[in-house]
Each structure stands twice: as C-alpha cells, then as structure tokens.
Amino acid sequence: MGIVSDARKAAALLRKAVAARSAVRSVRQTLAHTPPHPSNRYRIAVYFADGEVNMYQMRQWYKPLQELAARWPVVVLARSATGARALLADDALPVAFVPTVRDLERAIQSQDIRVVFYVNQNTRNFQMFRYGRRWHVFINHGESDKMYMTTNQYKAYDFAFIAGQAARERLERVLWDYDFDRRAIEIGRPQADHYSGTPPYTPDDRTVVLYAPTWEGDRPSAHYGSIRSHGEALVAPLLASGRHRVIYRPHPRSGVVDSEYGEANRRIIAALRAANAADPRAQHVFDDGPELGWQLSVADVAIVDISAMVYDRLAAGRPLLITRPVDEEALIDTHGYLSDCEWLTAEAAGRVTDELERVVADPESTRRLAEWVRRYFGDPAPGAATAKFHAAIESLMREWDSWHEGAVRRGDDEEPEEADLDETTIS
C-alpha cells in the first residue's frame, strides 16, 4: 500500500511540475508581447504569492483597486506562474511576474511603491516584509468569523484594513499588545460598491432566491454544507411555486469528499434544468461562473451555509437565512452574527417558502439585520465604504511623506542595498 501511495504522490508532483513549467512559458510569451512597465509609475503594489486556485481572493478586489488606481497607480506582484497567468488573462490590473527574489528586487527598485497590500496569509509574504520604507497592509479577501480572521499574523503588518467593529472585537479577544487604534483601520467592504456581472435572465415579478451552499467539509467541525441535508428539500418547493426564481451557486468543491453529496448537487442542477424546460419563463440559474456580485445584489432573499457567503450577503444588507448544520460537531461561532441570525433547519427546509416570507415581512428580523450590518461593515450607504478605503490610503500616503521627509533631513533617505541572498534558501 505504501508503494502505491508513494507512486501516486510522485505522479502528482510530476504533473504539478509539468503544469508549472507550462504556466511559466505561457506567462513569458504573454509578457514578451506586452510593453514594459514605466519606471516609477506605481505607488501601490498588491503582493500575490498564490496560484490560480486562489484567484478569487484577488478578483473581488479588482474593481475597488481599479478605482483607486485613478489616484494611486497599482501593480500586482505575482510570484506564482499559474497566478500570474490568470492575472494576465483577466487583464484587470498591471502585473509584474516576480517568481524569484531577485525578480522581486528588480521590480521594487524600478518603482516608487509606498504601500503594499496583502490579500491572504501566504507564508511567502515574509519575503516581501524584508523591504522597509513602505507600509505593509493586510486587506484580506473577505469578512467572516472563522479562526483565520484572528491569527496573530496580523502583527506582522504595519496596518490592517478591517471591515468594522465586529472585526475589531474579534481581534481584541485574541491579540495581545496590539495597538488597535493606530493599526486596525475600519473601511467597511468596498467590494459591495462594485458588484460585478450581469444577471443571465430578464427580471420580472418573481421573488429571486439565491441558494449558495458550501462544500461538505473534510472533518466534522467543518461540516457546514447543506446540499444533502437541506438542498433538495428546499429547492423543490421553490421550483414548484411558480413565484420564485432560484439562483443556485454551489461551492466548486461540492462532492470531492462525499460522493452522495456530489450526487445530490447534480440532482439539484438537473431539477433546475427540468423546471426551465417545463416553463422557460422561470429562468432558474445554475451559476458556476467566476464573477460574484450580481447574485448578491439581485436576490430578494439568500439562503447560505456557514461560510464567507454569510458575510458577503450581509454586506449587501438584504434578507438572508443561514442553514443550520445537522452535524452536532460542526463548530458555530457564538460571538458574532451567527448568535442572532435567522436559521433554516433541515426540518424546515421543505417549508422554505413560508420561512422566506417570514424573514422578509418580519420587522424585528429586519431591525436585527440592519444592526448587524452596521456592526460588521459600518455605514451601508452606497459609496461609504469606498470613501473610507480611499481616505485610509490618503492617510497612509501622508504619513509616508512625513517619514520620508524626516529621512531626507537626516540624510538617510537612501534605501540600504539588499543582501545577496541565496534563492534556494528563501524562495
């Protein structure tokens, strides 16, 4: 058994190496036909060391960063070939492919980068921390109450842009000796001002219901997925009502651990197709596209599992139901929104139309939702988060100017030369 396992691992490593080389060739070919970056153009960099699999972390920031770039030009420093290939294909922001530390150094030396953004906690972020005389800012790739959101790694950054008061309270429960007033800057969720994509249907008087379940999870504590326990039961009455339109957006990993979970997912997709064939006006949607935004904005009500989708929808400030996990070992945070949300149990899934009407019509539910939206994201008015985001950058740029001017007066404004480090030890 051990020999078979080792052979599979070796084959997987070989496939990964071949794919990486192919991605490098693709990136080099694309860049060969792309004009070089002008010297000293960029003031802000986004450091992205991940591959294509985590591109969702970058894509949700495209539009806020494009708007910011009108004032402060932005470049993405891509360390992975597959990530760089995806970034270049998206063509949303300028990209510098910097697979080695020497490549990274050359890119930095040719620009006047004053702020560096990080969208995740990749261990290779540490290589970028070497470069001083610029602010290193963690902007994250979403808002949630997961353990990831309270890691002590926050201290590695000069500043962290957080969504709102709930994020600060979450960090205060965990981080010791951290200057929250200076280093944690609330900006809301700028992405909510830039929902992307276009609905693939013609709007009418139907109630639009977004059902966005997560995958089944790989351990009991993370068994949040609802496709098997809730999904088929709740989708059926919505398809039969003639009054609802379903947007079904399952997690792309649905069924990778549990084949029965995957089969239930496929049955739901088939049911949507059958309903559309029976009544073309229904226009139910199976959504597996890369863009996330329009789904959150058009849905009258959303049904989501415990995942980042809870907070993506919460930022929209519109009604939602959270599926209650059937596995009693699934961990549920009791400090934040999940302590006071609208649950949909597996037993109530078949009565989902009644539950939706209750959530929409109940003034107490509406009041509680508004309070949680403000606690998590601050002012929900359109444009408010973007204004905070831009104001935070302006403040950091002014502070950078102040430090730089002081360095010039002291005569130590030249950045120290980087050490000639061995790539094999730090790459």
Side-chain angles (χ1 to χ4, degrees):
M1 190 69 178
I3 296 175
V4 173
S5 176
D6 289 345
R8 288 175 176 169
K9 290 179 181 177
L13 288 173
L14 178 60
R15 288 194 298 271
K16 185 176 180 180
V18 171
R21 285 196 292 270
S22 175
V24 169
R25 287 195 298 270
S26 174
V27 170
R28 298 294 189 199
Q29 290 170 0
T30 300
L31 292 177
H33 297 89
T34 304
H37 297 292
S39 298
N40 293 316
R41 170 168 175 71
Y42 303 111
R43 298 294 181 268
I44 295 175
V46 185
Y47 182 89
F48 187 64
D50 278 70
E52 187 172 14
V53 68
N54 284 330
M55 276 297 298
Y56 71 94
Q57 299 172 347
M58 279 296 307
R59 288 180 173 126
Q60 65 175 268
W61 277 105
Y62 279 169
K63 291 194 175 181
L65 291 173
Q66 286 169 345
E67 185 171 340
L68 183 67
R71 173 75 172 92
W72 302 105
V74 177
V75 64
V76 182
L77 302 174
R79 302 298 307 279
S80 162
T82 62
R85 182 177 59 189
L87 286 159
L88 289 167
D90 288 350
D91 195 25
L93 294 165
V95 178
F97 180 43
V98 288
T100 71
V101 172
R102 288 181 176 82
D103 292 326
L104 182 61
E105 287 180 353
R106 283 192 288 268
I108 291 172
Q109 290 167 0
S110 69
Q111 300 298 330
D112 185 16
I113 295 171
R114 305 177 182 188
V115 175
V116 183
F117 288 149
Y118 301 82
V119 298
N120 58 31
Q121 300 284 16
N122 190 297
T123 56
R124 296 182 82 187
N125 291 1
F126 189 77
Q127 293 178 1
M128 188 66 197
F129 293 161
R130 298 169 56 210
Y131 303 100
R133 302 179 183 272
R134 49 188 58 82
W135 302 127
H136 298 268
V137 183
F138 184 52
I139 60 174
N140 212 337
H141 57 270
E143 169 68 1
S144 75
D145 287 312
K146 293 186 291 188
M147 186 182 299
Y148 174 87
M149 302 296 294
T150 56
T151 170
N152 202 56
Q153 290 166 299
Y154 272 79
K155 293 181 180 178
Y157 306 90
D158 297 304
F159 301 94
F161 286 177
I162 61 176
Q165 185 61 30
R168 174 167 175 152
E169 292 170 357
R170 187 189 306 123
L171 289 168
E172 285 177 338
R173 290 194 297 268
V174 177
L175 300 188
W176 292 351
D177 192 27
Y178 185 79
D179 189 347
F180 289 95
D181 290 336
R182 169 169 166 72
R183 299 177 64 185
I185 302 172
E186 296 180 20
I187 64 167
R189 186 164 175 77
Q191 296 94 323
D193 290 330
H194 303 277
Y195 285 134
S196 61
T198 303
Y201 60 82
T202 303
D204 53 23
D205 60 353
R206 287 182 182 243
T207 298
V208 178
V209 181
L210 169 64
Y211 176 40
T214 191
W215 68 304
E216 61 269 34
D218 56 1
R219 56 196 181 280
S221 62
H223 283 173
Y224 300 130
S226 69
I227 289 177
R228 281 185 62 188
S229 57
H230 298 63
E232 291 181 277
L234 73 85
V235 167
L238 295 175
L239 298 182
S241 74
R243 298 180 289 110
H244 297 88
R245 173 168 296 118
V246 176
I247 300 173
Y248 179 53
R249 185 181 173 87
H251 193 285
R253 288 177 58 82
S254 297
V256 298
V257 173
D258 183 348
S259 60
E260 292 185 9
Y261 195 92
E263 290 168 4
N265 175 47
R266 288 187 287 274
R267 286 194 295 270
I268 292 175
I269 296 170
L272 265 67
R273 290 172 178 160
N276 284 338
D279 179 9
R281 295 172 301 175
Q283 302 180 83
H284 301 296
V285 179
F286 163 53
D287 174 36
D288 61 350
E291 291 187 305
L292 176 62
W294 65 267
Q295 306 90 334
L296 299 168
S297 63
V298 302
D300 297 297
V301 189
I303 304 172
V304 301
D305 297 346
I306 296 175
S307 67
M309 286 296 292
V310 171
Y311 307 92
D312 289 339
R313 174 63 178 188
L314 192 64
R318 305 186 68 191
L320 74 160
L321 286 166
I322 316 298
T323 61
R324 184 100 190 181
V326 295
D327 191 332
E328 294 183 357
E329 294 187 47
L331 297 179
I332 301 175
D333 181 85
T334 57
H335 295 97
Y337 173 63
L338 296 182
S339 67
D340 196 32
C341 67
E342 298 286 351
W343 290 110
L344 178 67
T345 64
E347 293 75 20
R351 305 189 302 274
V352 68
T353 55
D354 294 335
E355 292 295 306
L356 295 178
E357 291 176 3
R358 178 187 62 79
V359 169
V360 171
D362 181 14
E364 177 59 19
S365 175
T366 300
R367 182 194 64 78
R368 290 203 315 272
L369 178 67
E371 288 183 357
W372 283 108
V373 169
R374 188 167 292 277
R375 182 170 172 182
Y376 272 81
F377 301 104
D379 186 355
T386 294
K388 286 184 178 181
F389 180 42
H390 288 206
I393 294 299
E394 294 289 341
S395 177
L396 292 186
M397 290 298 184
R398 288 194 298 270
E399 193 163 353
W400 187 94
D401 286 338
S402 177
W403 280 94
H404 179 67
E405 290 170 4
V408 171
R409 287 196 299 270
R410 294 190 302 272
D412 59 357
D413 54 311
E414 291 296 325
E415 190 160 17
E417 290 186 6
E418 297 294 342
D420 186 13
L421 298 174
D422 183 355
E423 289 282 353
T424 61
T425 62
I426 64 172
S427 293

